[in-house]
Amino acid sequence: MVQFIPVIYDIAAVILLLMAYSRGAQEGFAKTITNILGHIAAFFGALFVGKIGSALIYSMFLQERTLQFLRQNLMGSVDLSELVDNLQRASASLPLVVRNLFQVSDLTHLEGKLSSSMGNAAVVLEQELIGPAITGFIHIILFLIAFSILSFFAHQASNVVGGVCHLPVIRTADRFLGGLLGLLQGGINLYLIALAARFVLYFISKPPVFFNERIIMDTYIWRWIYQFDPFKFLQ
């Protein structure tokens, strides 16, 4: 039964794409393209809000508390070599998208920086690891909130455009173009599903047999989407 799960996943992806094509064809070109452009703008707008907002929130409310916690509770009782080894292993196990979002830096020289920090090991650890990790987590939360709000306004804008804009073309052509754009929007939705799956699988220590990375990598459609990383274009 397990060997059929990847096939089921691919069939589900095809069904979602066909549904997106059908919806795009029904709504027409103008409304669909407005909806797509609105969601793309919402995506990058949410990234910007998350990046700026997370840095501000961390520096204003959390940075000093983090440093105080590290100085009081960690640095006197932690083996720096063992700590760096554990951090290296944890960082290597992170999916690429998660590492980008959590801003995990190169930890190769962290042990040397900690050893030569002259009593400021807490500052080094905060700047190199703890701070970026907390900022990245806040970034994710702000991104989800901002994307939901901006997507709502994008959907409302597409409804307005769809109600007042009538293209001077044959209805068949309008439906076909709308269907193609709907297919594109369906691809975006599949990527968002794959991104959510990455986060869920990372935080599940023992994923079920029907939902894990091995199953996903055995598919034909989801495998490509799962490995796609658009954040590398923003670096």
Side-chain angles (χ1 to χ4, degrees), residues 41-53:
F43 180 82
F44 287 102
L47 281 179
F48 177 78
V49 171
K51 182 176 182 178
I52 301 299

Side-chain angles (χ1 to χ4, degrees), residues 152-172:
F152 171 78
F153 286 110
H155 182 70
Q156 296 302 313
S158 68
N159 288 335
V160 173
V161 172
V164 301
C165 183
H166 301 280
L167 292 177
V169 295
I170 303 175
R171 177 58 181 167
T172 302

Side-chain angles (χ1 to χ4, degrees), residues 34-87:
T34 302
N35 198 22
I36 291 177
L37 293 177
H39 279 82
I40 292 176
F43 180 82
F44 287 102
L47 281 179
F48 177 78
V49 171
K51 182 176 182 178
I52 301 299
S54 60
L56 287 175
I57 291 175
Y58 179 74
S59 62
M60 293 176 63
F61 303 106
L62 299 174
Q63 187 173 22
E64 288 300 323
R65 295 182 181 181
T66 301
L67 282 170
Q68 183 179 4
F69 173 82
L70 291 174
R71 288 172 177 146
Q72 292 179 351
N73 299 280
L74 294 180
M75 304 317 301
S77 59
V78 173
D79 186 318
L80 296 182
S81 178
E82 181 181 357
L83 172 64
V84 173
D85 289 340
N86 292 334
L87 293 176

